[in-house]
Amino acid sequence: MKQKPTLTFWQIWNLSFGFLGIQIGYSLQSSQTSRILSALGADPHHLPLFWLAAPIAGLIVQPIIGMSSDRTWTRLGRRIPFILGGAIVSAIAMFFMPNSEFVAAIMPPVFFGAGMLLFMDCAFNVSMQPFRSLVGDMVNDKQRNLGYSTQSFLTNVGAVVGSFLPFILTWIGIQNIPEAGEKVAPSVIWSFYIGGSALLLTVLWTSFRVREYPPKEYEEYNNITEAEKQKKSFLEILKSTPKTMLQLAVVQFFSWFALFLMWVYGIGGIAENVWHTTDPLSEAYNEAGNWNGVLSGVYGIFAAVFSIFMAKIADKLGRKKVYSFSLLLGALGLMSMFVFEDKYLLLISMIGVGIAWASILAMPYAILSAALPASKMGVYMGIFNATITIPQIVAGLTGGLLLRYIAGGSSIIMLIVAGVSMLLAAISVAFVQDSNKNLEPESVK
């Protein structure tokens, strides 16, 4: 079998550079959407339901995008047309969402905002899935950990930028509370404008700097036979799902259930535990919203730093050990947020959350891509996205019930629930089989 070439660092960098911009937008969505929807009139008990439409759409869209990109070849390549198209739609939704109140004459602003959340999240997923497949397509086995760790690093740098934007804009003098007669603070509006622009620019860089392997060359690198090239129905592909993917699905469920609760209830929990307020229109609540962005940025910094070393640590100790220990630290970080009532002490909590986040963005894809047939990389990566969307759907459906009957209406208690879920994810890693023996630690070879 013809071996894939060893890529230079900058070639690997270019593969994922667009993820930098996508994550700027995604982190703004994660850290500020509940703030926007609350300001537009959403009830805290209904917030998970507003977030629900996006993962449902992603559950449907991702496998379609994956299968389509497997079978696509254009002048831009196989994955890049989808990456670029998703980025354009994402940016448009980002420009409109913080201005939802201006459609009040047509529909309730909160419904328009929820609609923009749906479009934004779908479009993010349209871009993200081919990006993950692109790395799997282009790198050889020896560079697999490096490829996904680099993607994790750029993702987390983007998260830092996006999360800090409202705080930075407020610091330079842009107003952080809504102007008279309006609902969304100018600092949030301008953050979304800047984030959408950055998203487009970085994706354009990847789109025009990466040359994907043409179909014939790709088949030679991956030893794809005529039998493998035959079209199969989606049901046949689903029945052939690798066991590793099913095992990872359990870990993903508990990981993303925890993350969803953190994103939905993070601002409310911080406002309640540190600022002692539950009023989404108060100055204190908006300060909590800004600090939640700072915390998201801080855990992004820790994630980015950990990503620099993660590939080498995984090469030496094994991916499973790195994955499990990272999730354990994430669980401790989430639970500690209940203990810390000083906003600066919450920075300590973000160490664990950041390390877990870096691992979640890299390790499952490094493990999975080594177990997937190259001819079906896109569709299986698309199906694997269900392990991200389904736990969010479940969290969306049950979040309000958990808030009422388990947390007693307390958002900060919901962060403890998130921590328990992350702990279960860490335990579940033990049952995952990593099929790439070449990258296991030397001691077990």
Side-chain angles (χ1 to χ4, degrees):
M1 183 176 71
K2 186 178 179 182
Q3 297 296 316
K4 292 180 186 177
T6 297
L7 303 181
T8 67
F9 172 78
W10 291 112
Q11 285 176 312
I12 292 177
W13 179 275
N14 289 338
L15 286 176
S16 297
F17 187 66
F19 228 128
L20 173 71
I22 289 174
Q23 191 60 36
I24 291 174
Y26 194 67
S27 64
L28 279 169
Q29 173 192 288
S30 302
S31 65
Q32 301 299 322
T33 290
S34 288
R35 177 181 181 179
I36 292 173
L37 293 178
S38 295
L40 293 174
D43 186 297
H45 291 85
H46 298 157
L47 277 178
L49 298 178
F50 284 104
W51 283 74
L52 193 58
I56 290 175
L59 181 64
I60 299 169
V61 169
Q62 284 281 351
I64 296 172
I65 295 299
M67 183 176 287
S68 299
S69 66
D70 279 340
R71 299 173 179 176
T72 295
W73 182 257
T74 70
R75 291 177 62 185
L76 287 175
R78 175 181 288 107
R79 315 294 183 189
I80 288 176
F82 296 93
I83 291 170
L84 184 58
I88 292 171
V89 177
S90 298
I92 292 171
M94 288 188 70
F95 296 149
F96 279 108
M97 185 179 184
N99 294 299
S100 298
E101 61 191 283
F102 295 108
V103 301
I106 304 173
M107 67 175 72
V110 69
F111 290 158
F112 184 82
M116 288 301 100
L117 173 62
L118 169 63
F119 280 111
M120 197 188 315
D121 200 84
C122 281
F124 283 146
N125 284 321
V126 167
S127 292
M128 285 179 177
Q129 189 279 328
F131 257 122
R132 288 166 181 145
S133 298
L134 181 64
V135 174
D137 289 345
M138 300 294 291
V139 301
N140 58 37
D141 285 342
K142 291 182 179 179
Q143 293 187 304
R144 196 176 301 279
N145 285 348
L146 177 61
Y148 284 105
S149 293
T150 301
Q151 187 169 93
S152 179
F153 172 78
L154 288 166
T155 299
N156 286 300
V157 171
V160 172
V161 174
S163 299
F164 272 113
L165 266 177
F167 181 82
I168 292 171
L169 293 180
T170 301
W171 182 70
I172 65 174
I174 295 179
Q175 190 168 310
N176 189 46
I177 57 175
E179 296 180 356
E182 297 182 2
K183 296 182 180 297
V184 181
S187 60
V188 175
I189 294 173
W190 278 102
S191 293
F192 273 68
Y193 290 164
I194 294 169
S197 301
L199 189 158
L200 281 177
L201 291 174
T202 57
V203 167
L204 285 170
W205 177 272
T206 287
S207 299
F208 292 106
R209 298 289 293 182
V210 172
R211 176 186 172 273
E212 295 186 65
Y213 301 131
K216 184 177 180 181
E217 192 175 354
Y218 183 74
E219 290 167 12
E220 291 175 352
Y221 284 143
N222 295 283
N223 197 28
I224 297 175
T225 65
E226 289 298 320
E228 285 181 287
K229 288 193 289 183
Q230 291 180 356
K231 290 185 178 181
K232 294 184 178 180
S233 69
F234 182 75
L235 186 59
E236 289 176 313
I237 292 171
L238 201 58
K239 285 181 179 179
S240 302
T241 300
K243 181 189 260 187
T244 299
M245 187 163 142
L246 299 176
Q247 295 164 340
L248 282 169
V250 178
V251 184
Q252 288 278 90
F253 179 87
F254 290 119
S255 301
W256 286 92
F257 189 93
L259 290 171
F260 187 90
L261 294 183
M262 180 185 73
W263 291 332
V264 172
Y265 294 106
I267 293 178
I270 294 167
E272 175 189 328
N273 208 42
V274 178
W275 274 268
H276 308 295
T277 183
T278 57
D279 179 7
L281 297 180
S282 67
E283 184 176 353
Y285 194 95
N286 277 279
E287 286 181 14
N290 268 13
W291 193 249
N292 185 65
V294 171
L295 294 177
S296 297
V298 168
Y299 83 66
I301 291 174
F302 288 122
V305 172
F306 182 65
S307 296
I308 296 172
F309 306 101
M310 182 164 50
K312 290 185 178 180
I313 297 173
D315 287 344
K316 186 172 183 180
L317 300 179
R319 290 185 286 232
K320 286 177 56 176
K321 288 182 181 177
V322 173
Y323 194 15
S324 182
F325 186 67
S326 299
L327 294 176
L328 174 61
L329 291 178
L332 294 175
L334 286 169
M335 290 188 231
S336 69
M337 294 178 73
F338 174 79
V339 178
F340 298 139
E341 296 185 8
D342 183 287
K343 68 177 185 178
Y344 295 107
L345 290 178
L346 292 173
L347 299 175
I348 299 173
S349 302
M350 294 303 105
I351 297 174
V353 174
I355 291 173
W357 178 238
S359 182
I360 289 168
L361 293 177
M363 288 299 102
Y365 300 101
I367 294 170
L368 179 64
S369 63
L372 295 179
S375 61
K376 301 292 185 292
M377 180 75 71
V379 65
Y380 278 124
M381 283 290 188
I383 294 170
F384 190 61
N385 185 69
T387 68
I388 296 174
T389 57
I390 289 176
Q392 293 183 67
I393 292 169
V394 173
L397 290 173
T398 62
L401 295 175
L402 290 172
L403 178 64
R404 177 167 293 157
Y405 297 110
I406 301 297
S410 170
S411 294
I412 192 63
I413 297 295
M414 291 298 287
L415 297 182
I416 294 181
V417 175
V420 171
S421 183
M422 191 73 79
L423 178 61
L424 293 174
I427 295 170
S428 301
V429 176
F431 302 98
V432 175
Q433 179 181 351
D434 188 350
S435 64
N436 195 336
K437 302 299 181 184
N438 292 332
L439 292 178
E440 288 297 310
E442 293 185 3
S443 60
V444 300
K445 283 186 178 179

